[in-house]
């Protein structure tokens, strides 16, 4: 995030009584004019977010499904994964126009 302070976390809004942790999701580059917006899904709940990064509050004691896609006229460039409790809570979404996207 270029030495910037991460944004405040977006709260986890589903029912969950256990401990929580913070997921930092970085976007590799801003969207081109052809695309609309980044949409992040956390356990199926969509959030429209902005570049360069976003922080989500997520459960610390169970797997969480994270997905990202791009809205707009072009292909949706979707990527998703299941983030396990032992996984490092930092991900990067990389978008490569015409060939797809990754979430690592």
């Amino acid at each position: 995030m270029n030495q910037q302070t991460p944004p405040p976390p977006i709260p986890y809004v589903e029912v969950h009584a256990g401990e929580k942790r913070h997921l930092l999701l970085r976007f590799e580059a801003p969207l081109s004019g052809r695309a609309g917006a980044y949409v992040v899904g956390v356990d199926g709940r969509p959030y429209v977010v902005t570049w360069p990064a976003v922080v989500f509050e997520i459960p610390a004691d169970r797997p969480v499904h994270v997905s990202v896609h791009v809205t707009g006229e072009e292909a949706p460039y979707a990527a998703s994964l299941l983030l396990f409790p032992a996984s490092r809570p930092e991900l990067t979404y990389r978008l490569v126009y015409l060939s797809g996207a990754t979430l690592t």
Side-chain angles (χ1 to χ4, degrees), residues 25-46:
L25 176 57
R26 292 183 180 97
F27 301 96
E28 187 176 70
L31 295 173
S32 76
R34 300 179 297 178
Y38 292 113
V39 179
V40 176
V42 177
D43 283 344
R45 185 172 294 265

Side-chain angles (χ1 to χ4, degrees), residues 43-97:
D43 283 344
R45 185 172 294 265
Y47 299 89
V48 177
V49 299
T50 59
W51 177 83
V54 65
V55 177
F56 288 95
E57 182 181 67
I58 61 171
D61 57 350
R62 66 168 183 77
V64 175
H65 180 253
V66 179
S67 64
V68 181
H69 72 273
V70 176
T71 64
E73 296 179 16
E74 301 295 319
Y77 298 106
S80 71
L81 60 77
L82 196 55
L83 189 66
F84 291 94
S87 302
R88 187 171 148 219
E90 290 187 22
L91 297 172
T92 300
Y93 177 78
R94 289 179 180 86
L95 177 62
V96 180
Y97 287 101

